[in-house]
Amino acid sequence: MNYLAIKIGAWAITGLAAFVLLWDASAPPELKLQPGEQITTTLNSIVPTLPTLPTVAPTTTIVPYKGCMEYLNDALVAGWPISESPTILRVIQRESACNPLALNSKDSNNGSRGLFQINGVHQTWLIKEGYIKKLDDLYNPDVNIRAALHLYGMVGWSAWALPNP
């Protein structure tokens, strides 16, 4: 194939491409929206939905697992001092591996529950102070974090066998 044939072929393809692109240019414009008319648009979500979670008891629903850093953030929002962040992380990792449903049934005084592994010996004052109605309320991470903060305010880190600063 010679140079002239290639040039003519390229010219023909380019001309056809322009013709195809301009083919719809003579189509009438789309109708404009009139006052009072609506346009319906369907949006497809790209955010996955969580599956329905099983229940532990009729009134207790298992919450989706968060990581240690999310629970640390929850603790800071609940009022824990930011200066205690490293110790909070250390305690919730050591005590429960950041699992709000952790239970140490071997612990004396009715076991320890939740992120901070709050001991059942504290049941009376936790109920009196309005933090819980029953010990299983300590499986709720928000309740556990607030109860642990109150306990920390009373006795410092000694409740978790850590030295006070």
Side-chain angles (χ1 to χ4, degrees):
M1 188 178 276
N2 66 20
Y3 178 74
L4 182 61
I6 293 173
K7 205 168 187 180
I8 291 173
W11 176 81
I13 291 172
T14 305
L16 284 174
F19 179 75
V20 169
L21 289 173
L22 293 173
W23 182 265
D24 285 335
S26 63
E30 292 184 27
L31 296 175
K32 294 186 176 179
L33 190 62
Q34 300 299 320
E37 290 183 328
Q38 293 182 358
I39 296 176
T40 303
T41 304
T42 303
L43 300 176
N44 294 323
S45 175
I46 59 170
V47 178
T49 56
L50 291 175
T52 304
L53 299 172
T55 56
V56 175
T59 59
T60 307
T61 301
I62 297 175
V63 294
Y65 179 76
K66 292 181 181 181
C68 293
M69 294 306 289
E70 287 89 358
Y71 289 124
L72 171 61
N73 186 52
D74 291 348
L76 296 175
V77 168
W80 279 86
I82 196 165
S83 61
E84 294 299 328
S85 294
T87 309
I88 294 168
L89 270 176
R90 183 174 141 209
V91 168
I92 64 176
Q93 286 173 335
R94 183 187 76 176
E95 296 289 335
S96 66
C98 301
N99 178 0
L101 303 176
L103 169 66
N104 180 357
S105 59
K106 296 177 184 176
D107 197 357
S108 62
N109 299 309
N110 226 353
S112 297
R113 291 165 177 76
L115 289 171
F116 281 89
Q117 288 292 282
I118 297 176
N119 194 291
V121 74
H122 303 295
Q123 179 178 10
T124 304
W125 71 262
L126 285 170
I127 291 173
K128 181 181 174 189
E129 295 290 325
Y131 286 97
I132 63 171
K133 293 182 180 168
K134 60 188 182 304
L135 276 177
D136 285 349
D137 292 344
L138 291 171
Y139 291 124
N140 179 323
D142 296 327
V143 171
N144 193 281
I145 288 168
R146 287 193 324 272
L149 176 59
H150 187 73
L151 183 58
Y152 168 78
M154 291 180 359
V155 297
W157 288 115
S158 64
W160 293 272
L162 296 177
N164 283 326

